[in-house]
Amino acid sequence: MDILSIEFLKNNIKVNNNFDTLAPLSENHLDKKVLSFINNSKFLNILYSNKNISCLICTEEIYEILKKEYLKDNKIGIIISENPKYIFFEIQNYLVKKTEFYFKNFSNIISDKAKIHPTAVIEDKNIVIEDGVEIGANTIIHSNTIIKKKCKIGANCIIGGESFSFNNFNKIYAGGRVILEENVELLGNNSIERGIYRDTIIKENTKISYGSVIEHDVEIGKNTLICANVTITGRVKAGDNCYFGPGSVIRNGLEIENNGRANMGAVVTKNIKESEHVSGNFATEHKKYLEFIKKIGD
């Protein structure tokens, strides 16, 4: 963010308040004070239902609407802008690049009991690699990555790379980390992106086959199986004991509850409930999909 942008913020704060994370309006962070943005009044109901918003970037028109009722009962900071989305991402990039809001740099902490292939590339700061970790040939471990005990990472993986996130082709930089908890195993050619606003986390004992992509701000629960060529897009949250079949694709922002299953080739566009199996493109409840296939066969 340049000096003019900082001055712009100072001159356009209507109400002051603080925040400790940034997030889209639809995300709930129960333990955080959130800075978000709204640029269209059709999203006001989402704002009203999110109790974690402590600061908001909005247009003058929306501010006038909020003053009538919402701001009487809710103390939130307000910044006025003709383009709230742009200012939101400018703030994000400034915090990542110019401040210690998201992280403080530290020297790598790498266990002498880890086995790292000589062709692996380990960046020079903000990395923790614990006892018993194995890292294969040509794998790249980027800064802001934590790999806990007994994890195994195969060849040609990229862990902690920047997220594929743009606003009108302007890069949005990641402030989060990648955390692989104990006994996570990745085979070859996998990519796991850093979180933008929060950490990307793969929890204990999860196994990932070849060629999968896990994007920013994703959380994968314990004991989950991710088969070959799976794509899990940004901000997906999956519970424990889930299954993602070969070639399945999970739309951004979805929630997959414990024991949820996306079968082979599923393109998932809706949340998956606990123990629910979905199949198809686009995915639907598995039994309904089988009934549909039977009708086609008849």
Side-chain angles (χ1 to χ4, degrees), residues 75-109:
K75 174 65 167 63
I76 65 171
I78 298 289
I79 297 172
I80 301 299
S81 170
E82 293 181 359
N83 191 340
K85 186 177 182 180
Y86 172 79
I87 296 299
F88 176 81
F89 290 126
E90 282 286 284
I91 292 172
Q92 168 69 12
N93 287 347
Y94 176 76
L95 293 174
V96 172
K97 292 293 187 179
K98 302 293 186 181
T99 76
E100 294 183 339
F101 179 82
Y102 281 108
F103 55 84
K104 295 181 180 181
N105 292 323
F106 62 89
S107 298
N108 288 349
I109 303 171

Side-chain angles (χ1 to χ4, degrees), residues 269-285:
T269 61
K270 297 179 181 179
N271 294 337
I272 300 176
K273 298 177 182 178
E274 184 169 357
S275 300
E276 182 180 21
H277 294 194
V278 299
S279 299
N281 182 355
F282 292 125
T284 187
E285 200 280 322

Side-chain angles (χ1 to χ4, degrees), residues 152-155 157 159 180 184-188 190-192 202 206-209:
K152 295 181 180 180
I153 302 173
C157 292
I159 310 299
L180 305 183
V184 167
E185 183 171 356
L186 287 72
L187 301 184
N190 291 294
S191 176
I192 302 178
I202 314 297
T206 286
K207 312 300 181 187
I208 303 175
S209 185

Side-chain angles (χ1 to χ4, degrees), residues 42-209:
K42 70 181 182 181
F43 300 119
L44 282 170
N45 286 338
I46 300 175
L47 169 64
Y48 298 154
S49 65
N50 191 336
K51 303 304 180 183
N52 302 109
I53 303 298
S54 66
C55 296
L56 186 71
I57 308 169
C58 66
T59 62
E60 185 75 49
E61 177 186 7
I62 290 176
Y63 176 58
E64 292 300 320
I65 295 172
L66 296 176
K67 280 199 306 183
K68 293 177 182 178
E69 292 293 338
Y70 183 75
L71 293 179
K72 294 178 182 178
D73 300 319
N74 296 272
K75 174 65 167 63
I76 65 171
I78 298 289
I79 297 172
I80 301 299
S81 170
E82 293 181 359
N83 191 340
K85 186 177 182 180
Y86 172 79
I87 296 299
F88 176 81
F89 290 126
E90 282 286 284
I91 292 172
Q92 168 69 12
N93 287 347
Y94 176 76
L95 293 174
V96 172
K97 292 293 187 179
K98 302 293 186 181
T99 76
E100 294 183 339
F101 179 82
Y102 281 108
F103 55 84
K104 295 181 180 181
N105 292 323
F106 62 89
S107 298
N108 288 349
I109 303 171
I110 300 176
S111 169
D112 57 7
K113 296 179 182 179
K115 296 180 180 179
I116 301 174
H117 194 278
T119 62
V121 176
I122 311 295
E123 289 194 346
D124 60 0
K125 62 183 178 181
N126 302 351
I127 293 171
V128 176
I129 300 175
E130 295 186 350
D131 294 352
V133 170
E134 297 180 15
I135 298 175
N138 302 311
T139 280
I140 301 173
I141 309 297
H142 288 278
S143 296
N144 299 304
T145 296
I146 296 176
I147 306 174
K148 297 191 176 181
K149 294 178 181 179
K150 299 180 180 180
C151 288
K152 295 181 180 180
I153 302 173
N156 303 306
C157 292
I158 301 174
I159 310 299
E162 274 287 345
S163 63
F164 187 74
S165 300
F166 296 86
N167 177 36
N168 294 329
F169 287 89
N170 295 311
K171 176 66 181 172
I172 303 165
Y173 288 98
R177 303 171 291 178
V178 168
I179 300 176
L180 305 183
E181 296 190 347
E182 293 186 16
N183 293 304
V184 167
E185 183 171 356
L186 287 72
L187 301 184
N189 299 299
N190 291 294
S191 176
I192 302 178
E193 297 178 2
R194 288 174 57 195
I196 297 177
Y197 315 110
R198 62 173 186 255
D199 297 332
T200 299
I201 302 174
I202 314 297
K203 293 189 175 179
E204 292 98 324
N205 204 43
T206 286
K207 312 300 181 187
I208 303 175
S209 185

Side-chain angles (χ1 to χ4, degrees), residues 210-224:
Y210 291 94
S212 290
V213 175
I214 297 175
E215 295 189 352
H216 62 87
D217 302 90
V218 167
E219 181 178 316
I220 304 294
K222 302 175 183 177
N223 305 311
T224 289

